[in-house]
Amino acid sequence: MSRERLSDTGRQLLHDFPALAKLRKLDRSNIDNVIALVDNCAAFNREHAEPVALELDERIGRDTDYFDWDLAREAGYHRLFSLVIPEVVGGLAGKYMLTAGYLAFEELCSCCAGIGNMIAATALGISPMITPGGLAYWDTILREIMEGEKTGKPVLMAYAITEPSAGTDVEEPDFLARARINMEAKKVKGGYLLNGRKVFISGGREAKYLTVCAATERDRPLDTWSLFMVEREREGVSVPRVERKMGQRACHAAELLFEDVFIPDANLLGQEGDGMATGILSIMSASRGAVGGVGSGIARGAFRHFLAWAREAKNGRKPIGEQRIQMALADMQSAVQQSRGLCLSHGLAGDEVFGALMINPLVKGLFSLPRAVRLSRPYRSFLHSSAGRVFTGQMLRVLVDEDELTHILSLASLAKFSATDKAVWVASRALELMGTDDSVHRRWVEKNFRDAKLTQIYEGTNQLNRLTHYLIELAGTLKVELPRPLERVGRD
Ligand SMILES: Cc1cc2nc3c(=O)[nH]c(=O)nc-3n(C[C@H](O)[C@H](O)[C@H](O)COP(=O)(O)OP(=O)(O)OC[C@H]3O[C@@H](n4cnc5c(N)ncnc54)[C@H](O)[C@@H]3O)c2cc1C
């Protein structure tokens, strides 16, 4: 694609991000793939999200139970549930996985952050599976998700970490060590018995599969925090309620109850006790940048609607003719571009680790084995065995540099709290200036404001993200330490 033949979205991207334009000169086909992906999100917005977003938000405000499966189906046809599925198994995540993910979520959320979050919830649920501990699921669940996209039967996922008495506390090692944990995954013969509650789980009711973090010993949460794959339909899993949300309503937040839920050993992702390192810190070092993108997308949306409003005549005069409006527009654009710069920096830095993993020869080598071999009983038994868990854990330690990952986590936290705070600021500034006007643009900005507020809470509250950034960059006391599988003996 020459620059001239790019779509409007592509040209705008290269205009807004000179660094991306420069990178395209060096790595044309990969960057064109990123642009094509964002184009696809823009097409989804135009054709499916924009026409329904305002009504959907109002409808779910009245009827919290409603979920728009048609929209999920259309998202599937656009392959939006494959954004973080590795290319080696047929997904869209390649060399620029984080950059593309950030730009995709920004584009989606520039229209509707509720619909964007419905898609992001599945991406987050998938994330623990794309760590080497989840290799066994690449040929099964990840393929099922892609098959569901094609056939119009969306297979959704969710990621459950928050508990009624521990939200912030489960996202930082020192806090988790002292947290009051409600849920336990008790070791029993052949597997684990799950008991307890998870709350505010995005997409938790609609998900077919859940990735769940739980302690195997409640009084030693940090040392025993572990990751599990749980089928939503498994006996003992129920959804007592979904929340009445102020924003992002197209994606439900559900409470999940686990009552004597038996899961086999094979459903443990990685090794027992890996949860904080691989389940929280590694995943958040990727996903917080994407949530920054949710924020910059909402800010872009609010800015766009405010600009359109300012250009319309009110009582014979256009607000854009006034200097106070012109200055406000400049301030808003400055906020949007600052957010985007931080998110892009995180994406590009993060791709040195995450994107590199997607195209690593070792990973590619494993998936060049014939599929029949990868699905064979001995191969799968090996991946689920304690030797297999040690092998994949070691693989992670060989492929990922802890210092680099720690730096990426601090960039992710910075991008997340900055972009989401700015989203709230841009939407609220626009609302103040629009006053009581009843134009459709004001309705969008009012929704942007409600949607933005929630981004300050999830993926670690902005207070926690400030602390994480401080502890890494300024105090130097927080470091991501990957599991050391050889030091531990697994249980088979
Ligand atoms: C829309 C939405 C979607 C969500 N989706 C998911 C999901 O998919 N999966 C999931 O597992 N969870 C999800 N969550 C939960 C979210 O991650 C938690 O709400 C968040 O971590 C905060 O936890 P909490 O609500 O228990 O608040 P608390 O941890 O009780 O915090 C309350 C306030 O105290 C502050 N605070 C707490 N401890 C400290 C401290 N030590 N120092 C400084 N300040 C502190 C917090 O920053 C916050 O302002 C979602 C939440 C929302 C709102």
Side-chain angles (χ1 to χ4, degrees), residues 105 114 154 228 298 347 479 488:
F105 285 113
F228 300 93
I298 296 173
K479 182 172 172 182
R488 280 186 268 143

Side-chain angles (χ1 to χ4, degrees), residues 117 124 159-163 166-169 171 175 199-202 245 253 454 457-461 463-464 467:
N117 195 29
L124 194 59
Y159 189 34
I161 56 178
T162 306
E163 304 197 352
T168 300
D169 286 350
E171 296 203 21
F175 298 165
V199 289
F200 304 132
I201 308 308
S202 298
K245 292 170 71 185
L454 304 189
I457 302 171
Y458 60 71
E459 226 66 5
T461 62
Q463 289 87 346
L464 177 74
L467 280 178

